[in-house]
Amino acid sequence: MHFDIANLTTSAVYKLLTGLVVPRPIAWVTTLNPDLTVNAAPFSFFNAVGSEPPLIVLGIGDHPDRPKDTALNIEQTREFVVNLVPESLAQAMSDSAANLPRNVSEVTELGLATSPSQKIKTPRLLDCPACLECTLERILQIGGNRIVFGNVVSATVRDDCVADSSKLHIASDQMKLIGRMGGPGGYTTTQGIFQIERKK
Ligand SMILES: Cc1cc2nc3c(=O)[nH]c(=O)nc-3n(C[C@H](O)[C@H](O)[C@H](O)COP(=O)(O)O)c2cc1C
């Protein structure tokens, strides 16, 4: 079956892309609101896109009537934390996507525990197994998308998710992260790892 993108509505293109590009990692992004409360929202248009310098990217759309708080906060503070989402926090992560008024903190509303970050002012989510502290590299506005590039300046990983710290081996499966699949409520776990031997 062929889909001609030019003849599809925006919502149809969204369904097609998010159904096909799976699984997607989820960045549960914390930012500081102007009143210094903590905003949290999930973004699955997210990935690591380079290591020299270490770069991550987020694709942030708009609410129907206004820009998303996350984008405004990143523009203002020039920093954010990407918290990686474990299965145990799936429901809270989903609930944090509610369209709350600006300056209403999802972290306060949902009773999420935070912890100070190492290098930036924005706190991380304490119960996530890993987080990446980021400073803003730049934002590209392309149509209705704000493409946010972040420099990763610090990483915190729960001790039991580090298999060998001297070799920087992360026990990725131990983090029990979830990923986004197609459909309105579709998610996947990250269990079921398999290895492919590299040919010399
Ligand atoms: C799993 C998941 C992934 C999401 N990914 C994105 C995304 O990549 N880009 C986006 O603009 N919104 C995404 N959303 C919707 C935002 O989380 C939602 O609009 C949220 O209210 C934004 O909050 P804010 O205004 O506090 O920034 C996603 C929602 C969920 C549940």
Side-chain angles (χ1 to χ4, degrees):
M1 198 171 289
H2 173 72
F3 297 94
D4 183 353
I5 298 289
N7 292 329
L8 295 178
T9 62
T10 306
S11 79
V13 170
Y14 173 84
K15 276 194 240 171
L16 188 63
L17 286 181
T18 57
L20 291 173
V21 183
V22 292
R24 295 187 306 285
I26 301 171
W28 201 3
V29 177
T30 44
T31 51
L32 279 179
N33 289 321
D35 66 359
L36 300 185
T37 56
V38 182
N39 191 88
F43 295 90
S44 66
F45 289 155
F46 157 61
N47 222 311
V49 290
S51 55
E52 195 186 350
L55 272 185
I56 64 97
V57 71
L58 304 171
I60 305 183
D62 286 331
H63 286 303
D65 55 337
R66 62 187 176 97
K68 295 196 179 178
D69 296 343
T70 301
L72 294 177
N73 290 344
I74 292 174
E75 267 170 13
Q76 279 164 19
T77 63
R78 303 190 65 80
E79 60 172 56
F80 57 98
V81 181
V82 168
N83 302 275
L84 300 174
V85 187
E87 291 169 34
S88 58
L89 290 176
Q91 186 65 53
M93 176 280 299
S94 173
D95 293 347
S96 76
N99 182 357
L100 298 179
R102 186 130 170 83
N103 272 341
V104 175
S105 164
E106 295 81 6
V107 166
T108 310
E109 292 291 304
L110 296 168
L112 299 170
T114 60
S115 178
S117 287
Q118 299 294 315
K119 294 247 174 120
I120 63 176
K121 292 192 185 113
T122 310
R124 64 187 173 94
L125 295 176
L126 179 65
D127 296 321
C128 288
C131 75
L132 303 171
E133 295 172 30
C134 300
T135 57
L136 177 60
E137 165 62 31
R138 69 189 72 168
I139 300 179
L140 299 181
Q141 179 82 47
I142 303 177
N145 309 296
R146 285 180 175 80
I147 309 301
V148 174
F149 289 90
N151 293 298
V152 181
V153 295
S154 184
T156 300
V157 185
R158 209 174 61 211
D159 287 354
D160 65 302
C161 300
V162 181
D164 184 338
S165 58
S166 65
K167 293 182 182 153
L168 262 295
H169 285 174
I170 302 298
S172 307
D173 55 340
Q174 182 66 20
M175 293 190 288
K176 297 196 163 49
L177 300 181
I178 56 168
R180 192 77 162 99
M181 296 294 284
Y187 292 89
T188 184
T189 65
T190 49
Q191 304 307 297
I193 287 182
F194 66 96
Q195 312 285 338
I196 298 177
E197 272 185 41
R198 265 193 266 177
K199 292 195 177 128
K200 301 279 178 216

